[in-house]
Every structure is written in C-alpha cells, then in structure tokens.
C-alpha cells in the first residue's frame, strides 16, 4: 500500500511500486485530466507537478512520488481557474485540446519559477508537443498570464 498526496488530499493505493504515476492518477484515483500521449516522456500530455516541478507522469514510478506533493490539472486551481487557464481561454490556445492539460501544467510550473519569462525561457521550458501547432498562441498566453504585454500575432495569422 502506497500513500500519496494528490491535489492536497491523502490517498492510499494498492499498486505495484513501479507502476507509472499516470496510471495511478487515471485508473485508481479517477483523475482523467492528465492524458496518456506517448508513454516515453516526449510529448508532455501527462505532465503534472511533483513538489512544484513539471514532471512527465507516464514514466515516473509511483514509488518515487510517495511523500511528495502531486498536483494534477484538477487541483491546479481548486476554486476557479488558474491564471494560465484564463490566458489559454483568452488567447484561444487549444484546437484539438489533447495536449493542453500538459501544456498548462508546464506553463504554470514555468511561471512559478520565473514570473516574467522571456521568449527564450518559454521555448526552453515548453517542450510539450502539440500536433495542431498552437505554439505561438501558447507563448502569447504565457506572457499574458505573466502580466507581460501581449506579443503581436504572427504576420501570417488570418
């Protein structure tokens, strides 16, 4: 039996120690906001916070999360929307939306670490993959959430 703290609540789960945290969250705690994408930590759809750091939960054994504070998209802003979620809506970031929970979690961790990130900070940190290619809107939304002035849209945007 493993004990986890997820979104501020203690949970006991009877799972193998090497089970990926992603499957514990989805299949045992019924937190379905965290998505399965690639299973090898490349795409970022499974990103959650572990002690404030953005972590790919598809490859993190649950045993390595014991004793740490885990936050999923469901717990990012327990009473409303997080400022990153508000900026995502304002800038209409998602298209298909599948990668967006991981993107939002990565962006929120970035802003917690660097409240006023540069474009280079964003490009370095936001390694999540988006098959729809909404990266320019992601950058705009992060700057907006940081309180930075909006960046001009790309010249090719209709």
């Amino acid at each position: 039996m493993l004990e986890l703290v997820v979104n501020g609540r203690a949970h006991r789960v009877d799972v193998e120690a090497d089970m990926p945290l992603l499957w514990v969250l989805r299949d045992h705690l019924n937190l379905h906001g965290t998505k399965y994408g690639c299973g090898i930590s490349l795409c970022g759809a499974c990103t959650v916070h572990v002690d404030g750091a953005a972590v790919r939960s598809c490859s993190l054994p649950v045993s390595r999360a014991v004793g740490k504070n885990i936050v999923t998209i469901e717990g990012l802003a327990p009473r409303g929307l997080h400022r990153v979620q508000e900026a995502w809506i304002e800038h209409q970031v998602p298209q298909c939306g599948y990668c967006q929970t991981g993107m939002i979690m990565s962006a929120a961790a970035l802003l917690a670490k660097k409240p006023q990130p540069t474009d280079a900070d964003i490009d370095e940190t936001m390694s999540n993959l988006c098959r729809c290619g909404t990266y320019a809107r992601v950058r705009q939304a992060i700057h907006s959430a940081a309180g930075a002035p909006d960046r001009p849209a790309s010249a090719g945007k209709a």
Side-chain angles (χ1 to χ4, degrees), residues 143-155:
H143 282 301
S144 180
D150 285 345
R151 309 294 173 155
S154 66

Side-chain angles (χ1 to χ4, degrees), residues 9-157:
R9 293 185 55 215
H11 298 273
R12 293 186 65 168
V13 291
D14 188 11
V15 298
E16 297 293 326
D18 63 348
M19 176 182 274
L21 177 60
L22 171 65
W23 300 120
V24 174
L25 296 172
R26 290 184 59 79
D27 296 346
H28 295 272
L29 300 181
N30 294 315
L31 296 170
H32 299 122
T34 305
K35 304 297 183 199
Y36 173 78
C38 67
I40 55 174
S41 294
L42 291 177
C43 75
C46 66
T47 303
V48 299
H49 296 172
V50 177
D51 284 346
V55 173
R56 307 287 168 94
S57 65
C58 71
S59 61
L60 180 71
V62 67
S63 60
R64 290 189 40 212
V66 171
K68 299 185 178 181
N69 184 35
I70 302 160
V71 177
T72 67
I73 191 76
E74 292 90 347
L76 187 59
R79 290 177 277 288
L81 294 176
H82 187 276
R83 63 189 168 127
V84 172
Q85 291 169 309
E86 290 173 348
W88 245 242
I89 294 166
E90 176 187 345
H91 292 276
Q92 299 178 3
V93 174
Q95 283 187 21
C96 83
Y98 196 81
C99 67
Q100 297 306 308
T101 57
M103 288 270 203
I104 289 168
M105 296 302 287
S106 292
L110 167 63
L111 291 175
K113 187 176 179 180
K114 289 193 173 212
Q116 295 294 320
T118 64
D119 285 349
D121 295 330
I122 293 169
D123 292 348
E124 181 180 323
T125 301
M126 298 299 294
S127 60
N128 302 58
L129 299 178
C130 172
R131 72 180 192 162
C132 301
T134 64
Y135 302 111
R137 289 186 294 205
V138 165
R139 184 185 284 168
Q140 290 172 334
I142 292 170
H143 282 301
S144 180
D150 285 345
R151 309 294 173 155
S154 66
K157 185 177 177 187

